[in-house]
Amino acid sequence: MPRRQAERPGLRLWPVGLVLPLAFLAALVVAAFVFLTAWDLIGAREVKTE
């Protein structure tokens, strides 16, 4: 019969290999959203090149 891992009190953290890519992806999504919103608000699409 396999031994059960003893429950230790304290923080239950997620694995770094999962959290790091998810945090990076979330940061990219937020940055893209902010950039595109600002681009639309300043009306940069209507700017004509000289």
Side-chain angles (χ1 to χ4, degrees):
M1 190 166 172
R3 260 197 307 180
R4 293 179 106 190
Q5 185 178 5
E7 290 289 326
R8 290 183 286 167
L11 297 175
R12 293 177 46 171
L13 302 176
W14 289 15
V16 173
L18 175 67
V19 173
L20 199 60
L22 288 177
F24 185 73
L25 182 63
L28 284 177
V29 168
V30 169
F33 176 77
V34 169
F35 176 80
L36 292 174
T37 301
W39 185 267
D40 193 42
L41 286 175
I42 65 172
R45 292 181 188 167
E46 290 93 28
V47 173
K48 294 181 179 162
T49 58
E50 294 186 31

PDB file of all heavy atoms in Angstrom, residues 35-49:
ATOM      1  N   PHE A  35      -2.481  48.946 -25.799  1.00  0.00           N
ATOM      2  CA  PHE A  35      -1.952  49.573 -27.011  1.00  0.00           C
ATOM      3  C   PHE A  35      -3.061  49.810 -28.033  1.00  0.00           C
ATOM      4  O   PHE A  35      -3.188  50.912 -28.587  1.00  0.00           O
ATOM      5  CB  PHE A  35      -0.846  48.714 -27.618  1.00  0.00           C
ATOM      6  CG  PHE A  35      -0.328  49.258 -28.916  1.00  0.00           C
ATOM      7  CD1 PHE A  35       0.577  50.297 -28.928  1.00  0.00           C
ATOM      8  CD2 PHE A  35      -0.767  48.730 -30.122  1.00  0.00           C
ATOM      9  CE1 PHE A  35       1.049  50.814 -30.131  1.00  0.00           C
ATOM     10  CE2 PHE A  35      -0.310  49.237 -31.328  1.00  0.00           C
ATOM     11  CZ  PHE A  35       0.605  50.278 -31.333  1.00  0.00           C
ATOM     12  N   LEU A  36      -3.853  48.787 -28.296  1.00  0.00           N
ATOM     13  CA  LEU A  36      -4.898  48.927 -29.317  1.00  0.00           C
ATOM     14  C   LEU A  36      -5.986  49.900 -28.877  1.00  0.00           C
ATOM     15  O   LEU A  36      -6.526  50.644 -29.709  1.00  0.00           O
ATOM     16  CB  LEU A  36      -5.495  47.555 -29.646  1.00  0.00           C
ATOM     17  CG  LEU A  36      -4.542  46.597 -30.358  1.00  0.00           C
ATOM     18  CD1 LEU A  36      -5.172  45.220 -30.513  1.00  0.00           C
ATOM     19  CD2 LEU A  36      -4.118  47.155 -31.699  1.00  0.00           C
ATOM     20  N   THR A  37      -6.311  49.931 -27.609  1.00  0.00           N
ATOM     21  CA  THR A  37      -7.298  50.889 -27.111  1.00  0.00           C
ATOM     22  C   THR A  37      -6.773  52.317 -27.254  1.00  0.00           C
ATOM     23  O   THR A  37      -7.496  53.208 -27.717  1.00  0.00           O
ATOM     24  CB  THR A  37      -7.640  50.592 -25.640  1.00  0.00           C
ATOM     25  OG1 THR A  37      -8.153  49.258 -25.551  1.00  0.00           O
ATOM     26  CG2 THR A  37      -8.673  51.566 -25.110  1.00  0.00           C
ATOM     27  N   ALA A  38      -5.528  52.543 -26.877  1.00  0.00           N
ATOM     28  CA  ALA A  38      -4.935  53.870 -27.011  1.00  0.00           C
ATOM     29  C   ALA A  38      -4.837  54.260 -28.486  1.00  0.00           C
ATOM     30  O   ALA A  38      -5.109  55.411 -28.846  1.00  0.00           O
ATOM     31  CB  ALA A  38      -3.561  53.902 -26.354  1.00  0.00           C
ATOM     32  N   TRP A  39      -4.466  53.323 -29.342  1.00  0.00           N
ATOM     33  CA  TRP A  39      -4.357  53.575 -30.780  1.00  0.00           C
ATOM     34  C   TRP A  39      -5.704  54.029 -31.335  1.00  0.00           C
ATOM     35  O   TRP A  39      -5.787  54.963 -32.139  1.00  0.00           O
ATOM     36  CB  TRP A  39      -3.901  52.283 -31.457  1.00  0.00           C
ATOM     37  CG  TRP A  39      -3.614  52.389 -32.917  1.00  0.00           C
ATOM     38  CD1 TRP A  39      -4.480  52.145 -33.930  1.00  0.00           C
ATOM     39  CD2 TRP A  39      -2.373  52.756 -33.521  1.00  0.00           C
ATOM     40  NE1 TRP A  39      -3.848  52.322 -35.136  1.00  0.00           N
ATOM     41  CE2 TRP A  39      -2.564  52.704 -34.912  1.00  0.00           C
ATOM     42  CE3 TRP A  39      -1.131  53.107 -33.027  1.00  0.00           C
ATOM     43  CZ2 TRP A  39      -1.545  52.990 -35.809  1.00  0.00           C
ATOM     44  CZ3 TRP A  39      -0.123  53.393 -33.923  1.00  0.00           C
ATOM     45  CH2 TRP A  39      -0.327  53.344 -35.287  1.00  0.00           C
ATOM     46  N   ASP A  40      -6.770  53.375 -30.882  1.00  0.00           N
ATOM     47  CA  ASP A  40      -8.110  53.729 -31.352  1.00  0.00           C
ATOM     48  C   ASP A  40      -8.560  55.068 -30.763  1.00  0.00           C
ATOM     49  O   ASP A  40      -9.177  55.874 -31.450  1.00  0.00           O
ATOM     50  CB  ASP A  40      -9.092  52.615 -30.979  1.00  0.00           C
ATOM     51  CG  ASP A  40     -10.408  52.764 -31.697  1.00  0.00           C
ATOM     52  OD1 ASP A  40     -10.399  53.080 -32.903  1.00  0.00           O
ATOM     53  OD2 ASP A  40     -11.456  52.574 -31.057  1.00  0.00           O
ATOM     54  N   LEU A  41      -8.260  55.324 -29.509  1.00  0.00           N
ATOM     55  CA  LEU A  41      -8.696  56.560 -28.860  1.00  0.00           C
ATOM     56  C   LEU A  41      -8.046  57.802 -29.465  1.00  0.00           C
ATOM     57  O   LEU A  41      -8.692  58.850 -29.559  1.00  0.00           O
ATOM     58  CB  LEU A  41      -8.419  56.504 -27.361  1.00  0.00           C
ATOM     59  CG  LEU A  41      -9.344  55.613 -26.543  1.00  0.00           C
ATOM     60  CD1 LEU A  41      -8.889  55.561 -25.105  1.00  0.00           C
ATOM     61  CD2 LEU A  41     -10.781  56.114 -26.623  1.00  0.00           C
ATOM     62  N   ILE A  42      -6.802  57.692 -29.858  1.00  0.00           N
ATOM     63  CA  ILE A  42      -6.140  58.866 -30.438  1.00  0.00           C
ATOM     64  C   ILE A  42      -6.444  58.998 -31.927  1.00  0.00           C
ATOM     65  O   ILE A  42      -6.065  59.987 -32.542  1.00  0.00           O
ATOM     66  CB  ILE A  42      -4.613  58.848 -30.215  1.00  0.00           C
ATOM     67  CG1 ILE A  42      -3.940  57.681 -30.939  1.00  0.00           C
ATOM     68  CG2 ILE A  42      -4.276  58.845 -28.744  1.00  0.00           C
ATOM     69  CD1 ILE A  42      -2.429  57.736 -30.911  1.00  0.00           C
ATOM     70  N   GLY A  43      -7.146  58.039 -32.483  1.00  0.00           N
ATOM     71  CA  GLY A  43      -7.545  58.115 -33.874  1.00  0.00           C
ATOM     72  C   GLY A  43      -6.379  57.969 -34.830  1.00  0.00           C
ATOM     73  O   GLY A  43      -6.342  58.632 -35.872  1.00  0.00           O
ATOM     74  N   ALA A  44      -5.440  57.136 -34.509  1.00  0.00           N
ATOM     75  CA  ALA A  44      -4.246  56.988 -35.338  1.00  0.00           C
ATOM     76  C   ALA A  44      -4.552  56.352 -36.692  1.00  0.00           C
ATOM     77  O   ALA A  44      -3.760  56.484 -37.616  1.00  0.00           O
ATOM     78  CB  ALA A  44      -3.201  56.152 -34.600  1.00  0.00           C
ATOM     79  N   ARG A  45      -5.675  55.712 -36.824  1.00  0.00           N
ATOM     80  CA  ARG A  45      -6.011  55.085 -38.115  1.00  0.00           C
ATOM     81  C   ARG A  45      -6.301  56.143 -39.183  1.00  0.00           C
ATOM     82  O   ARG A  45      -6.105  55.908 -40.351  1.00  0.00           O
ATOM     83  CB  ARG A  45      -7.218  54.173 -37.953  1.00  0.00           C
ATOM     84  CG  ARG A  45      -6.910  52.968 -37.123  1.00  0.00           C
ATOM     85  CD  ARG A  45      -8.086  52.060 -36.995  1.00  0.00           C
ATOM     86  NE  ARG A  45      -7.768  51.013 -36.035  1.00  0.00           N
ATOM     87  CZ  ARG A  45      -8.635  50.209 -35.511  1.00  0.00           C
ATOM     88  NH1 ARG A  45      -9.899  50.313 -35.840  1.00  0.00           N
ATOM     89  NH2 ARG A  45      -8.282  49.292 -34.657  1.00  0.00           N
ATOM     90  N   GLU A  46      -6.805  57.289 -38.730  1.00  0.00           N
ATOM     91  CA  GLU A  46      -7.133  58.342 -39.680  1.00  0.00           C
ATOM     92  C   GLU A  46      -5.952  59.246 -40.012  1.00  0.00           C
ATOM     93  O   GLU A  46      -6.075  60.145 -40.834  1.00  0.00           O
ATOM     94  CB  GLU A  46      -8.286  59.202 -39.148  1.00  0.00           C
ATOM     95  CG  GLU A  46      -9.623  58.476 -39.140  1.00  0.00           C
ATOM     96  CD  GLU A  46      -9.885  57.820 -37.796  1.00  0.00           C
ATOM     97  OE1 GLU A  46      -9.384  58.320 -36.787  1.00  0.00           O
ATOM     98  OE2 GLU A  46     -10.584  56.809 -37.769  1.00  0.00           O
ATOM     99  N   VAL A  47      -4.821  59.042 -39.350  1.00  0.00           N
ATOM    100  CA  VAL A  47      -3.648  59.883 -39.608  1.00  0.00           C
ATOM    101  C   VAL A  47      -3.107  59.564 -40.997  1.00  0.00           C
ATOM    102  O   VAL A  47      -2.890  58.403 -41.336  1.00  0.00           O
ATOM    103  CB  VAL A  47      -2.573  59.660 -38.531  1.00  0.00           C
ATOM    104  CG1 VAL A  47      -1.292  60.399 -38.894  1.00  0.00           C
ATOM    105  CG2 VAL A  47      -3.074  60.086 -37.178  1.00  0.00           C
ATOM    106  N   LYS A  48      -2.914  60.611 -41.780  1.00  0.00           N
ATOM    107  CA  LYS A  48      -2.418  60.402 -43.139  1.00  0.00           C
ATOM    108  C   LYS A  48      -0.928  60.681 -43.177  1.00  0.00           C
ATOM    109  O   LYS A  48      -0.457  61.629 -42.573  1.00  0.00           O
ATOM    110  CB  LYS A  48      -3.149  61.317 -44.116  1.00  0.00           C
ATOM    111  CG  LYS A  48      -4.598  60.969 -44.233  1.00  0.00           C
ATOM    112  CD  LYS A  48      -5.295  61.856 -45.222  1.00  0.00           C
ATOM    113  CE  LYS A  48      -6.750  61.412 -45.295  1.00  0.00           C
ATOM    114  NZ  LYS A  48      -7.610  62.391 -45.867  1.00  0.00           N
ATOM    115  N   THR A  49      -0.211  59.852 -43.902  1.00  0.00           N
ATOM    116  CA  THR A  49       1.219  60.068 -44.033  1.00  0.00           C
ATOM    117  C   THR A  49       1.477  61.223 -44.991  1.00  0.00           C
ATOM    118  O   THR A  49       0.694  61.474 -45.908  1.00  0.00           O
ATOM    119  CB  THR A  49       1.915  58.796 -44.560  1.00  0.00           C
ATOM    120  OG1 THR A  49       1.330  58.458 -45.801  1.00  0.00           O
ATOM    121  CG2 THR A  49       1.765  57.664 -43.574  1.00  0.00           C
TER     122      THR A  49
END
